């Protein structure tokens, strides 16, 4: 237990985070590349077509991982915001800052791929149902968090405002998740749940699982990389960064 | 934890709790307006307004789809297995439209009790399967509602086969 705590404490120091992330990052990039490559080739070329939707169901291999990540990233951002607000750990704020554009991109991908799938399947690309609308609100929340962070002249005020919006906005996540159960929606209920078997055969969900894992590895790798450059940017005047730059400045 | 941090933590959690209560109450107040469509039961009970654009949803009842061979006119019955709603539509139906399929129809409810649709949308369910499996299920005499259980059963059987072959 003591070891874990000291590891977490070290992560809170920008210098240590910079050193530890350098060792972790290549593995996550590698895992992301392999998983996404295997998952997309398997899903797009080898998985069987659906009995009703034919090949258009294959959009699921991008849509579902992007939608999972869009929600997970928002929760991570809110947790990072809470850690920053309560324990004043700067690295948490830097991570939250770099996660927001990633999450916004994932939300956009899931909305866009859903619309492309909706045209042949539903007969419309957009409908103001609870799932689609709550997902659109998530996109606006991401844009709001990004804009709010930049709207203050002092970085600390911007960080705190963005953290509060992220923490309050996290209420939208259970609404997205349960919207298809609470209300009548055009969007179908979840195919996957923790408690029951997926309503999909193995040869269809195995590549999906690989894609989801690949997307998560990509998110971790990208967050580590972007947090590292954020650390260098914010700590540019610190001695260890100057030494790292080899006394160039 | 230092008292100041504890205070901040409680403040943050309190803020989230308050916002959650506010959003929860709003959604509770709007609960019927958030539903995308009326079900035939609600329409039969008189919940839906006449002569105004509404959406109705349910399953296309088996054996009720009647097409006019001369035009694009089509009539069918939407059911929730309790009440039925007759729908008339003129236009192109989505690929997924078929008997037993979930649909959402957009249109005006007529005073005679049927619905003149301007748009028909197919609603997909959460079940996915290869065509051979679907065919096998149909040959065995199962209805779409059994698909989820059957899909789970198929998955288990496939797992068992894989376990046996290893």
């Amino acid at each position: 237990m003591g070891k874990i705590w000291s590891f977490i404490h070290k992560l809170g120091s920008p210098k240590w985070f910079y050193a530890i992330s350098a060792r972790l990052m290549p593995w996550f990039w590698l895992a992301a590349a392999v998983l996404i490559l295997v998952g997309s080739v398997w899903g797009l070329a080898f998985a069987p077509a659906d009995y009703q939707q034919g090949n258009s169901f294959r959009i699921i291999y991008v849509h579902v991982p992007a939608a999972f990540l869009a929600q997970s990233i928002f929760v991570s951002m809110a947790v990072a915001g809470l850690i920053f607000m309560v324990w004043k750990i700067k690295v948490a704020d830097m991570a939250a800052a770099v996660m927001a554009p990633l999450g916004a991109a994932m939300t956009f991908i899931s909305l866009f791929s859903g619309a492309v799938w909706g045209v042949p399947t539903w007969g419309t690309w957009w409908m103001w149902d609870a799932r689609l609308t709550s997902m659109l609100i998530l996109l606006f929340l991401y844009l709001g968090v990004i804009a709010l962070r930049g709207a203050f002249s002092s970085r600390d005020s911007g960080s705190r405002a963005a953290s509060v919006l992220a923490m309050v906005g996290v209420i939208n996540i259970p609404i997205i998740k349960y919207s298809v159960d609470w209300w009548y929606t055009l969007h179908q209920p979840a195919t996957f749940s923790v408690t029951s078997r997926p309503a999909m055969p193995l040869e269809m969900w195995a590549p999906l699982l690989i894609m989801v894992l690949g997307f998560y590895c990509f998110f971790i790798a990208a967050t580590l990389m972007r947090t590292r450059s954020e650390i260098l940017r914010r700590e540019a005047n610190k001695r260890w960064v100057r030494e790292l730059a080899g006394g160039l400045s | 934890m230092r008292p100041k941090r504890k205070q901040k933590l409680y403040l943050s959690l309190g803020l989230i709790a308050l916002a959650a209560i506010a959003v929860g109450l709003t959604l509770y107040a709007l609960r019927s307006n958030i539903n995308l469509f009326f079900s035939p039961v609600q329409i039969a009970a008189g919940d839906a307004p006449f002569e105004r654009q509404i959406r109705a949803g349910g399953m296309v009842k088996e054996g009720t789809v009647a097409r006019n061979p001369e035009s694009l006119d089509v009539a069918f019955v939407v059911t929730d297995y309790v009440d039925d709603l007759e729908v008339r539509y003129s236009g192109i139906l989505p690929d997924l439209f078929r008997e037993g399929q979930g649909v959402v129809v957009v249109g005006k409810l007529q005073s005679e009790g049927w619905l003149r649709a301007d748009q028909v949308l197919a609603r997909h369910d959460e079940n996915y399967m290869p065509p051979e499996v679907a065919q096998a299920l149909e040959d065995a005499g199962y209805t779409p509602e059994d698909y989820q259980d059957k899909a789970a059963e198929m998955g288990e059987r496939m797992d068992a086969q894989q376990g046996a072959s290893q």
Side-chain angles (χ1 to χ4, degrees):
Chain A
M1 207 52 204
K3 251 189 175 169
I4 296 169
W5 271 115
S6 77
F7 182 75
I8 290 171
H9 272 278
K10 277 179 186 169
L11 274 184
S13 135
K15 190 180 169 186
W16 268 99
F17 186 93
Y18 195 84
I20 293 167
S21 58
R23 273 185 284 154
L24 290 175
M25 202 171 58
W27 295 107
F28 282 107
W29 277 125
L30 184 71
V34 170
L35 289 170
I36 290 175
L37 191 73
V38 170
S40 44
V41 170
W42 188 356
L44 297 183
F46 296 105
D50 182 60
Y51 75 117
Q52 281 195 323
Q53 305 166 52
N55 282 320
S56 68
F57 104 93
R58 295 182 200 278
I59 289 176
I60 200 175
Y61 295 116
V62 175
H63 178 77
V64 169
F68 275 8
L69 266 193
Q71 298 170 70
S72 303
I73 294 176
F74 203 93
V75 174
S76 319
M77 205 170 70
V79 170
L82 183 74
I83 292 171
F84 170 69
M85 289 296 275
V86 177
W87 288 277
K88 293 274 162 236
I89 292 171
K90 273 186 281 171
V91 174
D93 180 53
M94 297 182 203
V98 303
M99 278 178 203
L102 274 174
M106 288 298 163
T107 313
F108 178 78
I109 290 172
S110 75
L111 283 169
F112 182 80
S113 58
V116 169
W117 177 82
V119 172
T121 314
W122 294 336
T124 183
W125 64 275
W126 185 260
M127 176 58 56
W128 293 100
D129 88 340
R131 171 57 73 81
L132 275 62
T133 310
S134 56
M135 208 60 190
L136 187 66
I137 291 171
L138 185 71
L139 180 63
F140 293 154
L141 278 171
Y142 271 121
L143 298 181
V145 167
I146 295 169
L148 202 56
R149 186 177 285 281
F152 293 83
S153 50
S154 103
R155 186 166 56 208
D156 201 46
S157 315
S159 299
R160 269 183 286 159
S163 302
V164 170
L165 182 58
M167 285 184 320
V168 172
V170 94
I171 295 155
N172 193 29
I173 299 298
I175 296 174
I176 295 175
K177 168 118 179 57
Y178 294 106
S179 55
V180 289
D181 303 323
W182 288 342
W183 303 293
Y184 294 143
T185 55
L186 186 59
H187 194 286
Q188 65 269 27
T191 297
F192 300 93
S193 78
V194 184
T195 49
S196 63
R197 285 192 66 92
M200 186 187 252
L202 175 84
E203 68 245 62
M204 281 172 154
W205 65 253
L208 182 58
L209 181 69
I210 292 173
M211 283 300 269
V212 169
L213 292 175
F215 268 59
Y216 273 98
C217 288
F218 167 79
F219 158 60
I220 294 168
T223 306
L224 289 177
M225 188 180 80
R226 286 169 51 85
T227 307
R228 283 163 63 80
S229 36
E230 186 76 9
I231 288 173
L232 291 186
R233 209 165 61 79
R234 291 199 197 179
E235 308 266 294
N237 293 325
K238 294 278 164 67
R239 198 155 139 226
W240 70 272
V241 178
R242 287 197 186 171
E243 277 168 13
L244 199 74
L248 288 174
S249 46
Chain B
M1 213 188 293
R2 275 187 243 152
K4 185 136 191 233
R5 286 183 180 166
K6 210 171 216 170
Q7 195 190 344
K8 279 229 156 139
L9 181 64
Y10 290 149
L11 193 72
S12 303
L13 295 178
L15 185 74
I16 296 171
L18 274 181
I21 291 167
V23 172
L25 287 175
T26 311
L27 291 178
Y28 182 73
L30 291 172
R31 63 196 179 282
S32 57
N33 295 356
I34 298 172
N35 285 329
L36 182 71
F37 50 81
F38 290 100
S39 70
V41 169
Q42 289 170 311
I43 291 173
D47 288 348
F50 288 104
E51 300 294 338
R52 257 182 58 196
Q53 187 93 332
I54 62 157
R55 286 183 291 256
M59 292 289 196
V60 179
K61 199 171 184 177
E62 306 270 341
T64 62
V65 179
R67 286 171 209 268
N68 183 340
E70 310 278 289
S71 68
L72 286 172
D73 289 356
V74 58
F76 53 91
V77 171
V78 169
T79 180
D80 51 15
Y81 303 108
V82 181
D83 275 306
D84 291 350
L85 171 73
E86 194 194 338
V87 177
R88 289 179 210 170
Y89 175 65
S90 180
I92 296 164
L93 294 162
D95 291 352
L96 239 62
F97 181 90
R98 67 199 73 196
E99 292 178 357
Q101 178 76 39
V103 287
V104 174
V105 294
V106 187
K108 287 181 181 145
L109 194 61
Q110 308 295 315
S111 47
E112 300 89 42
W114 56 277
L115 190 127
R116 155 69 55 203
D118 304 322
Q119 201 183 9
V120 175
L121 303 173
R123 195 167 175 274
H124 185 252
D125 61 20
E126 67 274 34
N127 301 310
Y128 295 79
M129 68 187 82
E132 310 85 68
V133 177
Q135 189 58 46
L137 282 175
E138 206 177 313
D139 293 348
Y142 291 108
T143 62
E145 294 80 66
D146 299 326
Y147 279 4
Q148 183 162 3
D149 306 335
K150 283 288 130 190
E153 219 173 272
M154 285 292 293
E156 268 159 29
R157 208 177 308 153
M158 264 184 324
D159 289 355
Q161 276 170 4
Q162 271 171 354
S165 64
Q166 269 161 12

